Amino acid sequence: MANNQIMNAQPKFRGTEGVNRYLYDQLWKLCAGSLFDLPIIGEEVYYFPQGHIEQLVASANDNLCQLKPIFDISSRIHCNVVSIKLRVETNTDEVYAKVSLLPCPPEVEIPFPNDNNEQNIKYFTKVLTASDIGPHGDFILFKKDAIECLPPLDMSQLIPSQEIAAKDLHDHVWKFKHTFRGTPKRHLFTSGWKEFVKGKNLTVGDSFVFLRGENGESRVGIRKASHQQSDMSSSVISKESMHHGFIASASNAIHTKCMFDVFYKPKSSKFIVNCDKFLDAVNRKLNTSSRFTMKFEGHDFNEIIYSGTIVKVEDFSIYWKDSEWRNLQVQWDEAATIPRPNKVSPWEIEPLIPSSNILKSVIRNNKRQREINEFVSYAGPIISKPDYNDQMVQSTKENSTTNASSSFRLFGVDLTASTKARDVLEPLESYQKNKTSEIFEEENLDQIQAVTSLTEIQRKEISFTTSSTKVHMEGVVRTVDLTVFNGYNHMIVELEKLFNIEGKLHMHSQWKLTFKDHEGDMMLVGDDPWPKFCNIVKEIVISSK
């Protein structure tokens, strides 16, 4: 789920209890994240006991699921989803779902419920920075988020402000004062924000979620950063599941054709899988050396796609023969700052297409343009470009008033002239043939390299232009290329050199660094992740404190 994104139509899921729960359900989904695949009532799924054990043990390592099953139970169980109840833990605000499963075939068909309470919603999320959770700080809203998601302010007031009341997933009402003030003016949550930060125990990297329905009702939620996730063994899910003996419950349910419950939570093992999705994944026949991609959630809650190669196909546990659960051992193409498993299940990945016609077209077109530019540069001294236009116009006029056999000119040269008179063009013609041959040869080489080096191209942004950003300091304007910097520290060092203020920007004693984003808002430099800053910055300002 992209940060600060506004949407009017949300992914829908069904089967939650209650009549007026639509906004609650949508907020729950936003807090769970876009990669959490929640089933729906009536859906046919496979339940994997190994994955359930993995969630309870809490950490994914090679010793997981090596526990010998107490009961003789299949590695996967075909079930129908009977009910889903969305929950949130009291102490941590961590969301989870209680899913009731009935082993197939059921005695009666389970109907898909109709949700008559659907409505359009608008929402935004923001990853919290140090200034957002500081003891003296207010919550800074992006202009687009405030305009799209909050009730409009009365701009005729000296300091426009209003009170926002919003429920969280515990139905607790939080009140925030939304005001538009400051230099430059910006949208802020002031009163009530500190209490929210303290009450939710928020830290840098956590995410704030705000949702507003078309009926005007507002909801707020949080997503804890990955390093803030509570220990699974101390969670409600673990205690209840371990207390009831989930394996015993599942085994008994299979034999008696009765229902059993599981607790399913985001950022855990995907042990409930749609039947069609499972069959599609198994029918792909992934083998050693197969290439694939897999989606992950980054530190800022955005989706990241990594690619890799399958290096081995084998059972994950000696006690679960012929199980598809994490039976693919993989090797990733590149390092990452987030944890990734070295064994995955077939339904978690997508086969990597070995070539892309669009990508090859982009490479080929830019390659051809580059070669044409070189050719024009080479040919320029021989025949000047302005003469082309003048002489071609002259040729057009002559052809319109004289017989076709009287004169034929190309680039100002009379083609009816003798061979000796045209000798001056032969070196250029020879160069053009050779150069054209080289272009086609190198294009073919590019197509081969585009296939063999596709992963490298995916990891790097293809850019044929240099990005320039203006930097202002007391009337002096300089231009820098942000793509050459590897982060904030590198940029600050170079700016200090550029304006002869070595060491003073880092000290924050005399100068402060702000920037104007694509919405026209002035923001402090350093609050956003570096890649995001590079995407939204329009101008940088160094001003005296």
Side-chain angles (χ1 to χ4, degrees), residues 220-440:
V220 290
I222 64 169
R223 298 188 65 197
K224 301 294 288 184
S226 56
H227 66 277
Q228 295 291 331
Q229 292 296 321
S230 61
D231 182 15
M232 185 79 69
S233 61
S234 64
S235 69
V236 172
I237 298 172
S238 295
K239 289 179 179 179
E240 294 197 29
S241 296
M242 295 292 262
H243 177 71
H244 290 94
F246 72 94
I247 287 291
S249 298
S251 178
N252 179 68
I254 294 172
H255 291 94
T256 62
K257 299 279 173 58
C258 66
M259 188 176 65
F260 67 101
D261 297 329
V262 297
F263 293 89
Y264 200 34
K265 66 186 304 180
K267 297 187 178 180
S268 68
S269 305
K270 296 178 176 62
F271 60 85
I272 299 177
V273 184
N274 176 274
C275 284
D276 291 336
K277 184 177 181 180
F278 168 80
L279 294 175
D280 289 343
V282 172
N283 290 334
R284 292 177 189 146
K285 303 296 183 184
L286 296 171
N287 299 311
T288 302
S289 301
S290 295
R291 304 275 295 130
F292 70 92
T293 60
M294 185 172 175
K295 291 182 179 180
F296 292 89
E297 189 177 76
H299 294 299
D300 57 356
F301 303 107
N302 285 324
E303 291 184 10
I304 306 174
I305 299 179
Y306 288 106
S307 57
T309 305
I310 298 173
V311 295
K312 186 183 291 187
V313 180
E314 64 177 0
D315 290 328
F316 189 38
S317 170
I318 60 175
Y319 300 113
W320 305 82
K321 293 294 185 181
D322 301 321
S323 171
E324 293 82 5
W325 180 262
R326 295 198 187 279
N327 67 334
L328 304 177
Q329 185 173 334
V330 301
Q331 180 177 338
W332 300 101
D333 291 338
E334 59 184 345
T337 58
I338 60 174
R340 297 171 301 181
N342 58 7
K343 293 183 179 180
V344 301
S345 304
W347 53 87
E348 295 180 298
I349 64 176
E350 291 292 335
L352 179 63
I353 301 174
S355 62
S356 170
N357 293 332
I358 297 177
L359 183 59
K360 290 195 296 184
S361 176
V362 171
I363 297 174
R364 183 165 58 252
N365 290 342
N366 283 276
K367 178 71 173 179
R368 174 175 288 277
Q369 185 63 46
R370 198 161 56 246
E371 292 289 357
I372 291 173
N373 291 340
E374 292 178 2
F375 175 78
V376 171
S377 298
Y378 182 91
I382 300 177
I383 305 176
S384 61
K385 200 169 183 178
D387 289 346
Y388 294 170
N389 298 330
D390 295 339
Q391 295 173 5
M392 288 180 73
V393 171
Q394 177 185 353
S395 174
T396 304
K397 292 179 179 178
E398 290 176 359
N399 287 335
S400 63
T401 56
T402 61
N403 189 290
S405 61
S406 61
S407 177
F408 294 93
R409 293 179 178 273
L410 177 62
F411 299 121
V413 178
D414 188 355
L415 299 183
T416 60
S418 64
T419 303
K420 184 176 181 179
R422 296 201 308 269
D423 283 347
V424 293
L425 288 181
E426 290 181 358
L428 177 61
E429 181 182 355
S430 176
Y431 172 84
Q432 184 176 5
K433 289 181 179 179
N434 293 335
K435 199 64 179 178
T436 302
S437 177
E438 291 175 11
I439 292 174
F440 283 106

Side-chain angles (χ1 to χ4, degrees), residues 21-64:
R21 303 269 294 182
Y22 185 75
L23 292 182
Y24 177 96
D25 293 350
Q26 295 302 310
L27 179 63
W28 189 100
K29 181 68 173 178
L30 292 173
C31 292
S34 61
L35 295 184
F36 183 53
D37 190 10
L38 186 73
I40 59 177
I41 289 180
E43 182 179 2
E44 291 190 29
V45 298
Y46 281 113
Y47 162 71
F48 288 82
Q50 282 179 284
H52 201 167
I53 295 175
E54 183 173 301
Q55 174 178 278
L56 297 176
V57 177
S59 60
N61 55 62
D62 290 342
N63 294 323
L64 274 177

